[in-house]
Amino acid sequence: MVSSPHEAMHRIFQEYPGLFSRVSEVLGVHIPPPTAATVLPNDLTENSPVERRVDTLLRIDTQHDGPFLLAIEAQGKKDPRKTTSWPYYVSYLHNKYGALPVLLLIVCQDHTTAQWAATPITIGLPQWPTLTLNPLVAGPHNMPVITNVAEARKDLALATLAAITHADNPDVGAILKTLSAALREAPDNIAEPIAELTAQGLGNRPAAQQWRNLVAVDTSFYKSFMSEEIRDEGRAQGQAGSLLLILEARGITLTEETRQKITACTESSLLSQWLQRAATATTAEEVFTENR
């Protein structure tokens, strides 16, 4: 099953195709900035029962160096099957699109996977390799840690990808706070997709809740569905905390199960009901009972 971080790590290039030229600079490879970019069909299946799809496929046009194909794969963990899939993708695209050069970019969120993905894949004999694949890899080992608001504001797409790849960084709180601050003055049509891609890229990691809290507090101008959901979750979290404090102040004993029931609730309207009942309840059961 495809995870939300997996989707964000390659979809961001569909939303911001020019991002690759900045990422390539970070990776130490000179790729000219695009003059145009086209999302191509990602189905690489031939007339065989094996279905093969690259995550994102872009045709990048440049001013002086001609067009090339950029295949992007989001990789969450080591997968031995990729040692056969990735060479297939490149050779298939080379055959299908003729003279267009093909680049393969792998985006990772942990050092171990990034190191594995960067290992060249060789097909042939040890003394005479027939084909060697050298993917470009972007991950926490080489993407910048952006904690300067001005730097983040200069390139919001790169700052977003950097935040996603550093989702497990101990300093991710500072990284996300920087990105949130950089979005405050951005137009809604720019800020909204950035906020959503970041939330998607963080998945179910602890950093995801930090991001939701930041968006709820710092960027309340967002109108998108996901942003509304993020703000609702932040509101519910605050209500749950208030409910626990009230019950504690009234001397009502809570079991661990009851605490989890309160903290896991994301329905603001239900938490509001519980808060009202908590004002006069004498037991925890009375808080959750509709007719007292």
Side-chain angles (χ1 to χ4, degrees):
M1 182 176 178
V2 175
S3 65
S4 67
H6 178 280
E7 288 296 292
M9 285 192 288
H10 70 86
R11 192 166 65 85
I12 189 172
F13 290 91
Q14 295 181 24
E15 300 290 336
Y16 308 98
L19 171 62
F20 178 65
S21 65
R22 280 98 74 190
V23 171
S24 66
E25 291 178 11
V26 174
L27 303 182
V29 180
H30 174 67
I31 303 293
T35 56
T38 305
V39 179
L40 300 177
N42 64 343
D43 191 345
L44 309 184
T45 306
E46 293 186 284
N47 294 327
S48 68
V50 179
E51 180 179 329
R52 302 177 189 270
R53 293 178 187 272
V54 67
D55 288 333
T56 286
L57 179 62
L58 301 174
R59 173 191 164 118
I60 305 291
D61 293 289
T62 64
Q63 187 170 4
H64 302 295
D65 294 0
F68 65 92
L69 297 176
L70 176 62
I72 304 165
E73 282 276 281
Q75 196 63 34
K77 61 182 179 180
K78 293 181 180 181
D79 185 351
R81 294 172 298 179
K82 295 298 185 180
T83 59
T84 56
S85 296
W86 290 340
Y88 172 88
Y89 295 166
V90 172
S91 59
Y92 176 88
L93 292 170
H94 175 73
N95 179 65
K96 181 176 180 178
Y97 290 95
L100 289 184
V102 182
L103 284 178
L104 175 64
L105 173 67
I106 315 296
V107 185
C108 307
Q109 287 180 295
D110 68 274
H111 292 272
T112 301
T113 303
Q115 185 178 17
W116 165 80
T119 304
I121 300 171
T122 300
I123 299 174
L125 299 175
Q127 65 271 33
W128 193 267
T130 303
L131 174 68
T132 300
L133 175 66
N134 289 294
L136 287 171
V137 178
H141 65 297
N142 56 14
M143 291 299 292
V145 175
I146 300 177
T147 55
N148 180 279
V149 176
E151 183 182 355
R153 194 172 287 138
K154 286 180 183 177
D155 196 333
L156 289 171
L158 180 62
T160 302
L161 182 64
I164 291 171
T165 55
H166 286 289
D168 293 321
N169 190 307
D171 295 326
V172 68
I175 296 171
L176 295 177
K177 189 172 183 179
T178 298
L179 179 58
S180 175
L183 291 178
R184 289 175 188 168
E185 298 178 7
D188 286 4
N189 64 334
I190 294 176
E192 287 179 7
I194 290 290
E196 294 179 15
L197 278 167
T198 304
Q200 188 177 28
L202 296 173
N204 59 4
R205 290 172 167 82
Q209 189 58 54
Q210 296 182 51
W211 178 247
R212 292 172 188 274
N213 292 342
L214 285 167
V215 171
V217 174
D218 294 341
T219 52
S220 57
F221 52 85
Y222 290 151
K223 302 295 190 295
S224 69
F225 173 79
M226 181 176 287
S227 300
E228 291 288 349
E229 181 183 1
I230 289 171
R231 288 203 301 278
D232 287 345
E233 288 186 12
R235 186 182 304 115
Q237 187 180 37
Q239 288 175 309
S242 297
L243 178 56
L244 290 173
L245 286 174
I246 291 173
L247 293 174
E248 182 179 348
R250 291 180 55 80
I252 296 175
T253 303
L254 299 177
T255 64
E256 185 60 31
E257 183 180 357
T258 302
R259 286 183 176 274
Q260 289 181 0
K261 181 177 182 178
I262 293 172
T263 56
C265 182
T266 58
E267 296 183 36
S268 182
S269 58
L270 182 57
L271 285 164
S272 293
Q273 293 178 19
W274 292 348
L275 278 167
Q276 291 175 5
R277 295 172 192 162
T280 57
T282 56
T283 66
E285 288 73 18
E286 291 179 0
V287 174
F288 305 110
T289 302
E290 202 161 326
N291 297 315
R292 297 196 283 114

